Amino acid sequence: MTRLQDIPWAEEIPFNGQLDKSHRRLQFPDRLNLYRVDWLRPLFKSRWPQFILRMLTLAGFVFTILAGLFGPQVGSHNFAIIFVWIAWWTALKLVFIPFGGRSWCSICPIPLAGDWLQQGGIMEPGQRRFGLNLRWPKRLRGSWMQSGAFLLIGLFSAVTLTNPQVTGWVLLAIFGLAVGMSLVFEKRAFCTSLCPIGGFSGMYAQTSPVELRIIEKDICAKHEVKSCYQACPWGLYPLAFRDSSACGLCMECLRACPSDNLALNLRPFSSDLGRQKTTSRLDETFLALVMLGSVVTFAAVFTGPWGWLKSAAFEIGSLPWVRYAFVYLALNLLLMPVIFIGAVWAGERFSVSWNSLKRAIATQAQVLLPLGLMSWIAFTVSFALPKLILILGVLNDPFGWGWSILGLNQSIQKVSISGPSMVLQVLLLMVGLFWSFSVARKLAATSAKKSQGTKLPIMAFSLVFTLLMLWLLVG
Amino acid sequence: MRKEWLARGIVILGLALAVTVPAVGWWQQKQGIVVHAHMAETGGWDPENLTAEVGKPLHLQLTSDDVTHGFAVGQMDMPAVDVMPGEMTDVTLVFDKPGKYTFYCTRWCSVNHWRMRGTIEVTGTQTSIEPVKPPLYVTLGLDIDAEHHAGTTPSEIPAAWRGALLNRAIPDEYKSRDYYLSHAPIDLWLGLRSDPTNSDLTDQNLWDLVAWVWQSKTTPDEIQAGRELFTANCAACHGEKGAGDGVFADQLAAKTGNSNSSHTRGEQTQRPADFTDPTHMLSTSPAHLQGKIIRGGMGTGMPYWGPIFTEHQTWALVAYLWTFQFELEALP
């Protein structure tokens, strides 16, 4: 990875000299470029603010692993369980993704060690670099493995989410995997192709109000070096971004561009959705369906009233668990895809070739994104909101050793918020439903066929799914 | 270059903090004695055996790894403390006599809750050897496992106040504490029945007299103490109303479905004894009951309370048990 400093002949054109009337016109009229906001620009331009945030998450990550491995085995009083599965997960689902897209990736501690080894330094590239820098195998590209990783999580989630030691080991294993991959493959192989969090963060980032895009195409066309590509630790081409799913918002390209031609835009929600897809790759569709299948399963297992289901999910290796695993995998690998493909096919009026059906599937899959996002937010609200009070407890005594960092008495009383929480979940699911309807309508309007019937089976799919989620969470 | 060293310094500092803070805390915690509580099925107390010295305070930090437990030391005058999951409870114990003390769980954590016990071996200079008194049932040579039942039982619950109203003189031999401790109510009833001066009294009248004599051997304070002990320690199996129908009764009932509360020296757990059964209770003496409480049920699931209750507490429990058979209140 080459930093701007390594390119001797590229110099940064000062901000004032750059901006003249023609450039102002060419910025997106309806989008606010945060990088050009006077008081925000220095925060993004300097690497130090981001570095400090990353140090906080890294220290927190190490502390969390220690708490998981050596702290109390009672989940509700263990810093690792509460901070990973309640605090961080809630922040991820309610703040980072809906409002920032893939913003967590910007400060995630997991790839840092690998990054530093790859470039031989922390703030500046070093002489000795480590790593074989192999290209990621072409056949493994795409988000298939991320879907697989998420399915793995789903199979073992009951134990991971409740056992502090398992959480500690899982985090350690993920860290080791990320470092290992950085030493073998180039760039952020783990983040791009394996990390399940990155997988769905990127997918749902298409609904978010933040994006990183070039401002003026011609400037990039005339630029031979493509410093943005040289600077990107993910190995992406910022000048070619069409949607926000791949970009981890690390801002290196923003800093590297000699023409200040990259923008961090605030934009309306759902801006990446509604376009016809020309791709025949179905990996994102599959991930969207896995997320839907998983939220339904988790809602049933974790917040449902079926004790036998919880036991089955918990007793890994037993026959009930095998049955649970079978049903979970069948739901995600078979049932959801078949129903969805059926709905798309019905919408296309039964008269398409497989190739154009693939394109139709990839296109219609966008309808699943707001549905999935809001369902996950609603599910997170249902299980995490009443437990937020536990965060105070573990901040007070993270290891259960009788500390009193915040000076609080032990046994903090739980606050009951069941009423407002239910209302919030219903609202969130309704937003998800109508948002997915609006994406479906937008797609129907821009489609070549111009037939209104295309969207009906998909909308029916969304409706049935929402009703199912309503029943599981609230009903 | 400077930026790089500054960055590296910050990284090292952050990681060092993240590691040293818990490391220091862990080391500090190791200096004291941390006792982890688990349900008996998953390990009980860890560590189970502690040592202490006479006069030297023993500082314990108690925490539970599963459900809420409690902690108390047998035959010591200390209130029980709760041991909460994931939290630390500090307890300081001071012993003035050497010996082997038993600590135990005081919150019903599972059907095997009573097995959650550990020992504290207290060493020190012994000023005098206290002779151990054998329990009364041993002195009397009672076989507390033998079958027994009362030939006659009252038609309604005998009431001490009715017995008092009968205004009969009871022979002195029946009124002594020794008699009370070593005889069953049926013995007293048979004794009274065989006395010709009582020939005008009905069987029920005689039972009321028995209740009256039994009541004179107990005090309301003793019964209240017994009630509290029963509720905390016995009701979970024997039931709040003593009918052998407590929360854990079904789990203890023999697999053959044998639901009568007979004694056996069995290897299987039994349904807890029914204190409301007159055939059984009225043929049991207080010494017999005390023996059962102290010694336990030899595998029937009845715990042995010898190391836990003081002798005074045991007699208070016995006094309370009679309230399941007799109305012992002064006047309604």
Side-chain angles (χ1 to χ4, degrees), chain A residues 5 48 51-52 55 58-59 62-63 66 72-74 77 116 120-124 397 399-403 410-411, chain B residues 1-4 6-8 10-11 14-15 18-19 21-22 25-26 29 61 63-66 84-88:
Chain A
Q5 295 87 324
W48 289 102
F51 177 70
I52 298 298
M55 282 309 97
L58 181 63
V62 170
F63 188 81
L66 291 174
Q73 289 312 298
V74 180
H77 286 77
W116 297 338
I122 297 178
M123 289 297 249
E124 292 160 3
D397 186 12
F399 284 82
W401 289 337
W403 294 359
Q410 288 176 342
S411 294
Chain B
M1 245 349 245
R2 227 180 28 194
K3 265 204 292 184
E4 178 64 20
L6 180 59
R8 289 192 194 187
I10 294 179
V11 171
L15 290 177
V19 174
V21 166
W26 180 76
Q29 191 217 21
Q61 281 194 300
T63 184
S64 164
D65 285 351
D66 43 33
M84 309 298 292
E87 294 172 18
M88 282 291 179

Side-chain angles (χ1 to χ4, degrees), chain B residues 125-260:
Chain B
T125 48
Q126 213 151 352
T127 43
S128 62
I129 311 273
E130 277 175 42
V132 174
K133 220 177 39 167
L136 188 56
Y137 79 94
V138 172
T139 322
L140 294 173
L142 282 178
D143 178 3
I144 60 176
D145 296 315
E147 286 283 332
H148 58 90
H149 56 268
T152 330
T153 54
S155 46
E156 57 175 314
I157 305 247
W161 61 268
R162 278 203 300 263
L165 285 177
L166 289 170
N167 217 1
R168 285 297 164 103
I170 307 286
D172 282 342
E173 54 169 319
Y174 296 145
K175 291 203 289 197
S176 70
R177 182 150 176 91
D178 282 339
Y179 182 86
Y180 159 73
L181 290 179
S182 53
H183 288 85
I186 187 68
D187 297 330
L188 176 56
W189 187 87
L190 288 170
L192 290 173
R193 185 78 284 175
S194 64
D195 188 342
T197 56
N198 294 328
S199 49
D200 59 314
L201 292 174
T202 64
D203 287 350
Q204 184 60 40
N205 288 149
L206 291 180
W207 280 119
D208 291 332
L209 281 177
V210 170
W212 183 46
V213 173
W214 247 234
Q215 185 214 46
S216 66
K217 293 285 150 284
T218 66
T219 66
D221 284 343
E222 200 184 19
I223 292 182
Q224 179 56 27
R227 177 179 288 119
E228 284 164 16
L229 286 167
F230 186 87
T231 311
N233 297 290
C234 320
C237 292
H238 284 285
E240 276 179 286
K241 305 223 166 39
D245 57 354
V247 174
F248 291 116
D250 287 335
Q251 286 185 56
L252 291 166
K255 289 194 168 71
T256 55
N258 181 10
S259 62
N260 62 27

Side-chain angles (χ1 to χ4, degrees), chain A residues 148-171:
Chain A
F150 199 83
L151 285 174
L152 257 180
I153 291 179
L155 287 178
F156 299 102
S157 57
V159 171
T160 313
L161 265 58
T162 54
N163 186 321
Q165 287 205 331
V166 173
T167 291
W169 283 116
V170 165
L171 290 179

